[in-house]
Amino acid sequence: MRSHTSIRPWYLGIVTPPLAVATTLAALLTLSPPASAAPVPDVPAVAAAPVPDVPAVAAAPEAGSGVASDVDAAASPEAAAEAAPFAAPADAVDSPEVLARAVRFKGAAFDTCQAPPLATMKAWRSSSYRGVGVYFAGRGRGCPNQLHLSRSWLASVDGMGWRVLPIFVGSQSPCVRSEAKRKVRMGSGSAAQGRTEGRQAADAAGKLGIRQGSALYLDMEAYDAGDSGCARTTLAFVRAWNREVRGQGFLPGFYSSAESGVRHMEQARRAGQSDLPSVMWFARWGSGPSLYGEPTLHADAWQPHRRIHQYAGNVTETHGGHRLVVDRNTVDAPVARFQP
């Protein structure tokens, strides 16, 4: 992501539940559309119970250099997503109260290190983008001093019709590949750190006017998931962050490179691990904007409406006379919610 300098993603069986269970899960996981959803009042967050850490799943060999097709499937991918059973960890079904508040966006989005000025956001309405990734909090951000980001900025871009994807860049894996991120590596008490930073994410979101029911995306840059000790520490952090964010009434999302963090989460999902992300944001550049052809994810994983693909990075674009260096994304996932 554009959260730090000189970023490059590391390029690198599922058991289907009975039909009745799958149908129930699919119903629970369907997110309400932004325009027609009736306002739902906030409810108190449910406290997340501590869950002991468990060993991480060993990383499988990396896939070859082939990339996914721009075409998601021979048939309509939306129809396939709706019809497919959702094979998920036992407790990955988010609460109906949170899902009732969620706002889903489907379309093109960009992310860039520094939240652009409002004049740029207005000018970029002439582009095909309608979503924007915003680095709203976290000690690992490449642009910690956001010159424009504020509660009023978010309210203004929301009023322009932009859908916001809030990104939290916190502590990074002990075996993070980016040299720039090694100064913010998590320690051995990663589960406690994850809880603390999950609370920080929820608090920061609330101060910016991002309401419960929003998705908050944890940015975990590429790491060596083949190192079992490092993978175990990282997974403990991610699970604890997810538990805390869920307990605060938000949907926990996860961003990483397809061949490291995303592959790791998929292996944990297949092993039946709990407390995994609600939404998967995978980075595979140069592969086209496909959401459903990613080789590291099972076709039924993180479905429906729970995927984002960052398919190009460090691209210079000009719209309405305003130039930015951005990463390009295809989105079918929950975003920030600002209205009551």
Side-chain angles (χ1 to χ4, degrees):
M1 283 193 154
R2 295 288 304 167
S3 59
H4 57 275
T5 304
S6 187
I7 299 167
R8 294 292 187 276
W10 186 258
Y11 285 125
L12 331 84
I14 256 183
V15 177
T16 303
L19 181 59
V21 176
T23 302
T24 302
L25 288 176
L28 285 173
L29 289 167
T30 301
L31 298 171
S32 57
S36 60
V40 179
D42 291 339
V43 300
V46 179
V51 178
D53 295 334
V54 299
V57 181
E62 292 189 351
S65 58
V67 296
S69 166
D70 286 10
V71 180
D72 288 337
S76 163
E78 292 79 8
E82 295 292 351
F86 182 79
D91 69 341
V93 179
D94 296 289
S95 74
E97 290 86 357
V98 173
L99 290 172
R101 301 189 195 100
V103 172
R104 179 170 63 89
F105 167 68
K106 185 173 183 179
F110 72 89
D111 64 90
T112 189
C113 193
Q114 185 77 242
L118 286 175
T120 300
M121 295 303 298
K122 184 176 181 179
W124 271 53
R125 286 287 297 172
S126 64
S127 73
S128 61
Y129 296 111
R130 289 298 178 267
V132 57
V134 173
Y135 295 89
F136 76 100
R139 72 188 189 104
R141 286 183 295 176
C143 296
N145 299 316
Q146 293 285 326
L147 303 178
H148 309 290
L149 182 61
S150 65
R151 190 182 185 110
S152 62
W153 185 93
L154 286 168
S156 295
V157 298
D158 179 62
M160 291 180 196
W162 288 99
R163 294 305 188 192
V164 175
L165 293 94
I167 306 163
F168 180 90
V169 192
S171 295
Q172 297 294 297
S173 173
C175 51
V176 63
R177 298 187 188 277
S178 169
E179 192 170 331
K181 295 299 182 186
R182 290 175 185 168
K183 62 185 178 182
V184 292
R185 289 178 290 188
M186 63 189 70
S188 57
S190 60
Q193 279 185 281
R195 285 193 296 273
T196 297
E197 294 189 29
R199 194 172 307 114
Q200 289 172 356
D203 289 347
K207 289 176 182 177
L208 286 169
I210 300 172
R211 302 176 68 88
Q212 288 181 320
S214 300
L216 306 181
Y217 291 91
L218 175 65
D219 183 327
M220 190 65 64
E221 295 296 324
Y223 56 95
D224 183 6
D227 179 330
S228 61
C230 178
R232 183 163 47 249
T233 298
T234 306
L235 183 59
F237 177 96
V238 174
R239 293 178 61 224
W241 193 90
N242 293 341
R243 285 196 297 269
E244 186 63 33
V245 167
R246 278 195 179 100
Q248 297 292 330
F250 296 89
L251 293 165
F254 180 79
Y255 166 89
S256 192
S257 63
E259 292 292 351
S260 67
V262 172
R263 181 184 287 279
H264 186 198
M265 293 302 119
E266 168 67 352
Q267 289 164 351
R269 185 192 68 84
R270 291 169 61 182
Q273 183 61 273
S274 62
D275 299 312
L276 294 182
S278 298
V279 192
M280 189 57 64
W281 189 340
F282 58 95
R284 187 182 290 279
W285 294 3
S287 61
S290 169
L291 284 171
Y292 304 104
E294 170 51 43
T296 61
L297 294 174
H298 189 280
D300 294 340
W302 282 282
Q303 293 266 25
H305 315 308
R306 291 177 182 254
R307 288 194 186 192
I308 304 172
H309 180 188
Q310 185 185 90
Y311 63 92
N314 296 331
V315 180
T316 300
E317 295 189 28
T318 300
H319 299 285
H322 292 249
R323 185 172 67 175
L324 290 175
V325 178
V326 303
D327 297 335
R328 295 170 175 168
N329 304 273
T330 299
V331 182
D332 183 9
V335 292
R337 170 178 169 262
F338 298 99
Q339 303 304 318

